[in-house]
Amino acid sequence: MRETPNRSWPEVELNEVQRLRILAAGLPHVALAEMVIEAPIDRVWGLTGDLVAGTPQFELGVRSVEILREEGTHLEVAARTAFGATLYYEVELRFGYCLMQSPWSDVGMAAVEEIPGRSTRFAHFEGSRMLGRLGRPLFRWNIAGDFKRIARIVGGA
């Protein structure tokens, strides 16, 4: 039997935005964008991570979000759209990271400090399994509007 030297695999630590990028790379139907927002992470995530009060402020397609069940970082939510439909999502939510999945769509958000106390790198993806890649331009356009509203609300623009 041949002896192998004691080797270890290299290790890598990923921040929340890097995790979101990797996840989005495996979802061909989502559009991903990033922006540096001139506001501290607590302010940015205070808005974007508050699904109930924050989401309807920056996401024009959402009228309200209701938490139906919460167990630690796992939530089930109902989102009422601007068109009157209700979408149900399974959500994984912790500070700086949010993944939302329904049978029809995926949404992800992540935030990390860019300059401590001054700016935040915010990444966001949206996509529809029904529309597939064809829907990505629409979601890129929607995300660009979300970024403008988030920056305005948190005082970064």
Side-chain angles (χ1 to χ4, degrees), residues 70-155:
E70 184 174 358
E71 290 181 23
T73 61
H74 181 80
L75 292 80
E76 292 177 9
V77 304
R80 167 83 69 194
T81 71
F83 306 107
T86 301
L87 302 175
Y88 297 91
Y89 288 92
E90 296 287 325
V91 179
E92 199 60 36
L93 177 66
R94 60 182 180 269
F95 186 85
Y97 196 73
C98 177
L99 294 176
M100 301 175 64
Q101 185 176 48
S102 80
W104 302 278
S105 64
D106 295 297
V107 177
M109 299 182 293
V112 295
E113 280 190 315
E114 184 79 2
I115 299 173
R118 289 191 32 209
S119 64
T120 303
R121 178 168 295 278
F122 184 74
H124 183 31
F125 72 65
E126 297 180 9
S128 164
R129 289 188 198 95
M130 293 185 333
L131 295 175
R133 292 173 196 243
L134 294 174
R136 290 194 312 202
L138 170 67
F139 291 109
R140 277 190 195 95
W141 174 82
N142 189 65
I143 291 167
D146 291 349
F147 283 173
K148 288 176 186 172
R149 287 182 290 278
I150 291 166
R152 187 185 71 244
I153 293 167
V154 299

Side-chain angles (χ1 to χ4, degrees), residues 23-41:
L23 182 59
L27 298 171
H29 60 280
V30 304
L32 170 72
E34 293 181 30
M35 174 183 189
V36 174
I37 300 171
E38 296 301 322
I41 191 169

